[in-house]
Amino acid sequence: MTNTQETNVVVKELISFLKKGNAHATFSDAVKDVPFDDLGKKPHDLPYSIWQLTEHTRIAQNDILEFCSNKNYKEKNWPADYWPKKNAPSNESEWKNSLQQIKDDLDAFIDLLKDDDADIYVPFEHGNGQNLMREALLIVDHTSYHTGEILIIRRLLGNWKKS
């Protein structure tokens, strides 16, 4: 197998991890059909609501996309720029827009991985060692972590499907 073939296999696996749940529910599964009135609830004194976790996921994923696609990237302030202040979206349109941006940004990131000119192993010039493969793994890891939190909240609220 050539280096190009090996890289293609790795890219295919990364895309699978980004899009599919494999061994667990996907982010899309976790946020599907959440009752709007439950988006801002924090059961059992949990620190975050479903809305806050979703928005945090959106903001972080968008930040990773910007870092990977913009050599003039400007770092955000942690944690202030990564967490929403309010517990719930103002309306259903804001909720739907957040979910759509998560999908659109994920698709844009996958396009970066599929780019024939991209070398997923080469560090970005504007970073400090990060490369496209590492950032893909970061999205997988970060989104999976918060997907689990969303599922726990849904179970506590009684609006997650019984298994």
Side-chain angles (χ1 to χ4, degrees), residues 52-110:
Q52 289 171 312
L53 291 166
T54 299
E55 267 298 275
H56 170 69
T57 299
R58 180 191 66 76
I59 293 164
Q61 181 179 268
N62 180 263
D63 186 54
I64 294 167
L65 174 62
E66 283 298 310
F67 174 78
C68 293
S69 60
N70 181 358
K71 64 183 176 186
N72 297 315
Y73 168 81
K74 300 290 184 229
E75 193 171 328
K76 294 181 179 289
N77 294 315
W78 174 260
D81 293 341
Y82 289 87
W83 287 96
K85 305 293 185 256
K86 52 189 189 167
N87 292 345
S90 301
N91 52 54
E92 290 194 35
S93 178
E94 186 177 17
W95 171 243
K96 289 176 183 174
N97 288 340
S98 180
L99 295 178
Q100 187 62 50
Q101 186 180 353
I102 290 169
K103 181 188 176 309
D104 292 348
D105 286 349
L106 184 60
D107 289 343
F109 187 86
I110 288 170

Side-chain angles (χ1 to χ4, degrees), residues 2 4-5 9 15 23 34 36 42 46-47 63 72-73 86 105 109 114 151 160 162:
T2 67
T4 301
Q5 290 171 319
V9 169
I15 292 169
V34 178
F36 183 77
K42 298 179 184 181
L46 290 174
D63 186 54
N72 297 315
Y73 168 81
K86 52 189 189 167
D105 286 349
F109 187 86
K114 290 179 174 179
L151 292 175
W160 180 245
K162 307 278 190 260

Side-chain angles (χ1 to χ4, degrees), residues 7-8 11 15 68 107-120 132:
T7 298
N8 289 341
V11 167
I15 292 169
C68 293
D107 289 343
F109 187 86
I110 288 170
D111 286 345
L112 294 177
L113 288 171
K114 290 179 174 179
D115 184 342
D116 290 335
D117 294 329
D119 187 332
I120 64 171
L132 195 55

Side-chain angles (χ1 to χ4, degrees), residues 122-161:
V122 172
F124 295 107
E125 290 179 16
H126 59 282
N128 56 8
Q130 303 95 326
N131 60 40
L132 195 55
M133 186 177 88
R134 178 209 180 266
E135 298 304 300
L137 293 171
L138 181 58
I139 290 173
V140 169
D141 181 55
H142 184 260
T143 303
S144 294
Y145 178 82
H146 292 304
T147 297
E149 290 181 309
I150 289 168
L151 292 175
I152 289 169
I153 293 173
R154 291 197 67 184
R155 285 179 184 259
L156 291 171
L157 293 173
N159 70 31
W160 180 245
K161 57 189 172 192

